[in-house]
Amino acid sequence: MPMLKYLIIILNDASVSFCHYESAKTGKKEAGMISYDNLNKAVAFALKNNLKVNFLYPRFRPGKKYEKLIEDVEHVKIVPRKLGGVYSDAITVLEAGDLRKENKVTGTENIILRLSSPELKILPAAVKEIARKGGRINLVIKDVENFGDSKISEYRKLLAEISGLLIKKSGENSIPEVNFLTDRLMLESMNNCDAGITHLTVAPDGRLYLCPAFYYESGENSIGEIRNEINIKNRQLLELKYSPVCRICDAYQCRRCVFLNWKLTGELNTPSRQQCRMSHAEREASGNMLEELKKKNFKGAKGIEIKKLGYDDPFEIAVKNRYSIQEFKNFNS
Amino acid sequence: MSQNTTVKIDRPGSWEDGRAKNVTFVVTEDCQLACRYCYLVGKNKSGRMNFETAKKAVDYLLREEKFLAEKSVVLDFIGGEPLLEIELIDKICDYFKLKSYELNHPWFDSYRISFSTNGLMYSDKRVQEFIRKNKTHLSIQITIDGTKVKHDTQRVYPDGRGSYDNVLKNIRLWTSQFPETSTKVTISGDDIPYIKESVLHIWSLGIKEVNINAVFEDAWKPGDDELFEEQLTELADEIIEKKLYKEYTCSFFSRTIGHPYEQNVNWCGAGKMLAFDFKGDIYPCIRFIEFSLQNRKGIIVGNLDKGIDENRLRPFLTLDMVSQSPDECINCDVASGCAWCQGANYDFAETGTIFRRATYICKMHKARVRANNYFWNKLGRRLKTDLRETNPDTCQC
């Protein structure tokens, strides 16, 4: 079973969101900041448990005392566009507005791009730009819940268009990386977010959460204080093995967001129909792209096969063909 | 006829082999009784369904295709005490018949109307008129818990008086109108010593099928399992000696229980059935309505204006045994027939999930298995045949 590898620390209530949730829009510098004592406790916890840290930054620098403490631990800074040029080692999160302002992706080669469904039309231009720089885009779609039939259909078209762009830019061993299309070309097993398993979050209130989204949804979602023995109740429900839909699925690029699961279906281990159909549209597009790449003698996806499926939602299979008890016992997360 | 077919004890009747869609109308959250074991912890006088909401529910049922593809339907009226709203129920049934006829819906000639009632109003004129009108499509189950002592231990009025005498007055009328009927008995702790005499008493009243459940709550004390086993063993002896197995059915004894799991199926049908409350909200079953829950909020999977939110149903429809059971249960040698209720699981789980099975009943199930083995092995010896068999672990609720 995977173990805890890193900690996410939200420095301020208005820290940048890098995932499916929205953080606080405004935040006074002092009011929303994690206290120095709590940050100290969180950093010490990371150091004692060999954890790396992802620090989520607000739109301003946190002050020298805080920065000194941050540098004590191995970490990644995740920053909003405004701090994009300030730290050389940061990953920048961009929103649609950031791209429109400058009409291009700037500053960094490795970006997290958060877009809502109406904003996806700017994606091809962003992919072109990042391909030119040899970087990587991690796309986060902000409104998964809105992906009904018509949006799924539009998304499929967009995936085909971007696949075309990527194929053109690919070499014999490399291809510009966009998570939703190229990750599946490299994966032989699930590459999920694993919130609560490989990482936990410390919020500005100094308490632990499965991930930042649970904090922003409600402080009542805390799983407890920072301490050596962390007991997550019903933790097994975070594991792939305990998800009847996901454990039979091979859309390995899916992040399997437990927050979205919980919000849309009421259960951490059950993905929504929207999530499954989007991930399967991506999987299918990756498969089509792989076929084209193979024609070009692409060698960057050795051993990977993406078979055609007769369904677009593994829920249909989970309901029809129950996993056997033996399959469950043999399952390796 | 083989010896097997003369043994009726574990052969309850079931309409359409249990494949019909079960739809529950919670017509009222009120009841005349305050039974001590009742899971409806939030009974009240204000939660009453009106006809407009009920009509919308019927319209929805006849319109919706995706989640209601079954060829037959059971319209289950439940409360609180459903007969408090017999006039409303009559109107709902008439409306269902009329609309399903107009729409040429397959359910028009493939439906059942079902009640579980405390029986206190059974002889009421309005109830009797309803029975006359709907008899061929009707199943009514009056709950009588056993002997007067057993029944009055649990099934009491709010002032503490037992209800046995008032229920008994209507039993003869009921069994004369529905001779193949059954009753449901609940065991919850203090009443264990009365199990044997209660089953025999119910049969003596002409009710040939007794379905018994031990409660899923954390209600069991050390030693309860031994007492339970003793009662069932004594009952087994009585059934064998008096050859009662030829004529009567009791859910305690089943050839399919007490084996390791063979199939990964969910015991409970929550989500495959649906329940409507007075507000027009839709639930996976009555146990997810707020007035049924001690510790958690209700789980609503839709409403009559917007229909079913299929995302909210997905957990219920994919829920299987392995994903909700502790390893001890998955690997249990006598697991089959060990029951659970999804609503109770949700209510008692450490977090708000349906994917965690409450196991308070474990020792009681094992006691039942031992008594069950005793029964079938002994009866098999008497009949000179092997009566044991294994079977899929399907829900009997």
Side-chain angles (χ1 to χ4, degrees), chain B residues 283-324:
Chain B
Y283 299 82
C285 99
I286 187 175
R287 287 297 297 255
F288 289 92
I289 300 180
E290 207 119 311
F291 86 130
S292 303
L293 295 164
Q294 293 176 33
N295 306 308
R296 304 223 167 265
K297 287 182 179 167
I299 293 185
I300 295 171
V301 296
N303 63 59
L304 291 174
D305 294 320
K306 293 182 180 168
I308 287 174
D309 176 348
E310 59 182 309
N311 276 334
R312 294 281 158 185
L313 262 192
R314 282 164 77 97
F316 289 92
L317 299 182
T318 53
L319 186 58
D320 55 10
M321 182 276 291
V322 293
S323 304
Q324 62 182 309

Side-chain angles (χ1 to χ4, degrees), chain A residues 234 247 263 267 273 313, chain B residues 312 314 320 351 353-354:
Chain A
N234 285 325
R247 70 184 172 219
K263 201 170 175 197
E267 291 286 347
R273 179 159 167 76
D313 182 351
Chain B
R312 294 281 158 185
R314 282 164 77 97
D320 55 10
T351 59
T353 180
I354 60 169

Side-chain angles (χ1 to χ4, degrees), chain A residues 183-240:
Chain A
D183 280 6
R184 183 62 183 79
L185 303 182
M186 322 292 164
L187 292 168
E188 291 180 271
S189 63
M190 278 290 185
N191 182 39
N192 304 143
C193 164
D194 284 339
I197 296 177
T198 58
H199 60 93
L200 291 172
T201 290
V202 179
D205 65 1
R207 306 182 78 207
L208 285 168
Y209 293 82
L210 291 179
C211 82
F214 286 95
Y215 167 68
Y216 285 108
E217 186 73 11
S218 166
E220 287 178 16
N221 293 329
S222 172
I223 54 169
E225 308 297 323
I226 300 170
R227 60 178 175 270
N228 291 333
E229 296 296 320
I230 296 167
N231 175 27
I232 300 176
K233 293 169 183 170
N234 285 325
R235 180 186 182 279
Q236 78 283 356
L237 296 179
L238 302 169
E239 294 172 25
L240 188 58

Side-chain angles (χ1 to χ4, degrees), chain B residues 233-278:
Chain B
T233 307
E234 285 178 20
L235 178 61
D237 281 336
E238 190 82 2
I239 291 169
I240 292 169
E241 291 307 323
K242 295 190 172 163
K243 297 187 168 56
L244 298 172
Y245 53 81
K246 291 183 174 181
E247 199 177 349
Y248 298 103
T249 301
C250 175
S251 66
F252 272 143
F253 302 108
S254 165
R255 277 170 269 201
T256 62
I257 74 162
H259 308 282
Y261 283 127
E262 289 179 356
Q263 293 186 29
N264 176 25
V265 293
N266 193 19
W267 176 271
C268 173
K272 289 172 189 153
M273 59 179 97
L274 294 174
F276 300 104
D277 78 350
F278 70 96

Side-chain angles (χ1 to χ4, degrees), chain B residues 18-201:
Chain B
R19 285 194 293 264
K21 188 75 179 181
N22 192 297
V23 178
T24 304
F25 288 77
V26 185
V27 288
T28 176
E29 294 183 356
D30 191 15
C31 181
Q32 310 97 315
L33 298 181
C35 301
R36 296 194 169 105
Y37 54 52
C38 184
Y39 60 82
L40 300 172
V41 290
K43 279 184 290 197
N44 63 83
K45 294 198 179 299
S46 57
R48 295 175 60 206
M49 188 176 276
N50 63 38
F51 186 47
E52 284 312 304
T53 301
K55 266 167 56 177
K56 271 169 82 173
V58 171
D59 290 339
Y60 175 75
L61 288 173
L62 297 175
R63 186 177 69 236
E64 170 62 55
E65 289 175 357
K66 186 167 181 181
F67 300 104
L68 299 165
E70 287 84 351
K71 288 178 182 164
S72 308
V73 68
V74 177
L75 304 175
D76 193 14
F77 293 98
I78 203 166
E81 167 50 39
L83 296 187
L84 288 171
E85 296 293 335
I86 187 63
E87 284 158 339
L88 171 68
I89 292 169
D90 187 32
K91 282 164 77 177
I92 297 172
C93 292
D94 282 352
Y95 185 73
F96 171 83
K97 287 178 264 183
L98 179 69
K99 293 304 281 188
S100 59
Y101 176 76
E102 280 176 5
L103 295 167
N104 196 23
H105 195 285
W107 288 352
F108 172 68
D109 51 10
S110 193
Y111 71 94
R112 299 286 299 168
I113 300 164
S114 170
F115 292 93
S116 279
T117 167
N118 60 31
L120 295 173
M121 285 179 63
Y122 189 79
S123 56
D124 183 288
K125 269 185 193 166
R126 294 164 300 172
V127 175
Q128 286 301 309
E129 176 55 22
F130 179 83
I131 291 171
R132 190 195 58 73
K133 207 164 128 183
N134 294 284
K135 181 106 189 276
T136 56
H137 287 275
L138 195 55
S139 308
I140 298 187
Q141 191 179 73
I142 293 180
T143 302
I144 182 153
D145 238 5
T147 58
K148 180 174 167 59
V149 175
K150 159 86 175 81
H151 185 101
D152 285 349
T153 302
Q154 302 290 354
R155 299 187 66 80
V156 295
Y157 290 94
D159 63 7
R161 278 179 303 126
S163 60
Y164 178 85
D165 292 336
N166 290 333
V167 177
L168 191 66
K169 283 177 196 165
N170 291 324
I171 293 291
R172 191 179 295 275
L173 176 60
W174 171 50
T175 52
S176 69
Q177 289 172 331
F178 297 94
E180 297 302 319
T181 195
S182 63
T183 193
K184 195 169 171 182
V185 173
T186 303
I187 310 295
S188 64
D190 295 343
D191 46 10
I192 296 174
Y194 313 117
I195 291 173
K196 175 194 154 193
E197 63 187 39
S198 288
V199 172
L200 298 173
H201 176 68

Side-chain angles (χ1 to χ4, degrees), chain A residues 241-272:
Chain A
K241 183 175 181 176
Y242 288 85
S243 171
V245 178
C246 300
R247 70 184 172 219
I248 59 166
C249 180
D250 73 345
Y252 298 144
Q253 85 293 345
C254 177
R255 299 301 284 156
R256 209 165 78 80
C257 171
V258 294
F259 171 72
L260 282 182
N261 290 355
W262 175 72
K263 201 170 175 197
L264 297 179
T265 71
E267 291 286 347
L268 295 168
N269 67 346
T270 308
S272 64

